[in-house]
Amino acid sequence: MAEKLLEITHLSVHYGAIKAVRGIDFVVNRGEIVTLIGANGAGKSTILRTISGLEKVTDGSILFNHQIVNHMPSEKRVRCGIVQVPEGRRVFPGMTVQENLQLGAFTVSNKRQNNAGYDVVYDQFPILKERRHQDAATLSGGEQQMLAIGRALMAKPKMILLDEPSMGLAPLYIQKIFDIIQKIRNTGVTVLLIEQNANQALKIADRGYVLEGGKILSTGTGEELLASHEVREAYLGG
Ligand code: ATP
């Protein structure tokens, strides 16, 4: 039977008078890729940021790996296995690829484990190994996105939260990023993914939730949502 890794119950998140998330419930099972789709402003980023501790819960609860994490600081959530790859990549341009990766491993104190982390990342991203001594600024946009994902993997996450990983990338890299997300899941890391590119996201997702105005409108397997007339009309261009 599926084991719940993340369970969100009646979650609301307000920014002052703005009710960005309005009483949602959803579950991510261990080993799944789950995607949140919805128009701009539907509340997707707010949900991710709240799970990783960057926004405060107004109401409801976030249960991760059998523990309520509502009031836990972000850094502690990373130690518990929740790691967010931020939108827009945000690597440190003046530091080398390897130094950027090292920053992701702040939760890993054991040197042997740390080196094993590099092996995992360099195995997934051979281009980062080739460029490990170069400044991150010299990487292309797609490579910087790989570095941001690699940095998240260095923390040995149980779950990664990806906010628009394909945004602004050339088509070749978009496909690569989706392939990489599947590979990461195959290594046992659970994935919660937000994508404007809903079509691609649903193709690789086990399940998805459709959001509108801070509420969940519908849910289903990736296949079901791809086949749904309403979803096609509203989010996949008909
Ligand atoms: P997008 O794809 O545009 O990021 P989204 O689905 O991720 O959309 P959110 O960014 O979560 O949506 O925004 C949900 C609502 O909350 C929107 O009305 C947005 O204007 C508002 N909002 C988001 N961040 C803030 C903030 N820091 N302060 C005030 N309002 C915010």
Side-chain angles (χ1 to χ4, degrees):
M1 210 184 100
E3 184 197 345
K4 292 173 189 167
L5 181 60
L6 176 75
E7 186 170 14
I8 303 281
T9 309
H10 304 314
L11 179 71
S12 294
V13 185
H14 300 172
Y15 299 104
I18 297 169
K19 297 180 176 169
V21 177
R22 302 164 179 245
I24 61 164
D25 299 285
F26 74 91
V27 163
V28 180
N29 296 312
R30 207 179 279 275
E32 278 188 317
I33 298 176
V34 170
T35 185
L36 306 178
I37 63 173
N40 286 346
K44 307 178 297 294
S45 292
T46 300
I47 294 169
L48 246 59
R49 291 171 57 80
T50 309
I51 294 167
S52 62
L54 301 172
E55 305 292 350
K56 283 203 180 104
V57 170
T58 304
D59 198 11
S61 73
I62 304 171
L63 188 67
F64 181 77
N65 205 20
H66 315 294
Q67 194 176 4
I68 299 267
V69 299
N70 282 28
H71 302 295
M72 197 183 268
S74 277
E75 184 219 302
K76 206 164 164 213
R77 292 188 208 200
V78 173
R79 291 180 198 280
C80 287
I82 304 175
V83 181
Q84 176 156 7
V85 180
E87 187 179 13
R89 305 188 272 279
R90 301 213 191 105
V91 295
F92 293 93
M95 296 171 77
T96 66
V97 166
Q98 186 135 330
E99 286 164 349
N100 268 277
L101 290 177
Q102 181 59 44
L103 288 178
F106 74 93
T107 55
V108 180
S109 50
N110 174 315
K111 190 154 183 238
R112 208 165 32 150
Q113 271 185 15
N114 196 21
N115 288 339
Y118 287 127
D119 290 345
V120 168
V121 172
Y122 289 148
D123 195 41
Q124 293 274 6
F125 305 100
I127 190 80
L128 295 183
K129 186 171 187 183
E130 267 173 45
R131 311 222 158 149
R132 62 190 182 280
H133 300 307
Q134 281 179 223
D135 281 356
T138 66
L139 301 181
S140 71
E143 289 159 0
Q144 288 188 17
Q145 181 63 70
M146 291 180 192
L147 179 55
I149 296 172
R151 190 175 59 189
L153 294 179
M154 288 295 288
K156 306 209 173 305
K158 292 186 174 62
M159 170 181 259
I160 56 167
L161 310 175
L162 287 156
D163 193 344
E164 304 273 3
S166 80
M167 190 158 69
L169 300 186
L172 176 71
Y173 275 116
I174 294 180
Q175 193 49 54
K176 267 197 184 157
I177 292 292
F178 282 102
D179 290 346
I180 285 163
I181 294 169
Q182 286 176 285
K183 277 195 194 161
I184 290 171
R185 184 270 293 279
N186 292 343
T187 67
V189 178
T190 304
V191 177
L192 181 58
L193 169 69
I194 294 182
E195 261 293 331
Q196 283 297 319
N197 196 334
N199 206 13
Q200 289 266 37
L202 288 171
K203 276 188 192 155
I204 65 161
D206 298 295
R207 295 183 305 109
Y209 292 90
V210 181
L211 282 146
E212 194 177 285
K215 290 187 171 171
I216 290 173
L217 209 63
S218 59
T219 181
T221 63
E223 263 172 42
E224 285 164 354
L225 293 176
L226 270 175
S228 145
H229 180 68
E230 289 76 19
V231 171
R232 297 204 71 80
E233 285 280 302
Y235 307 105
L236 306 176

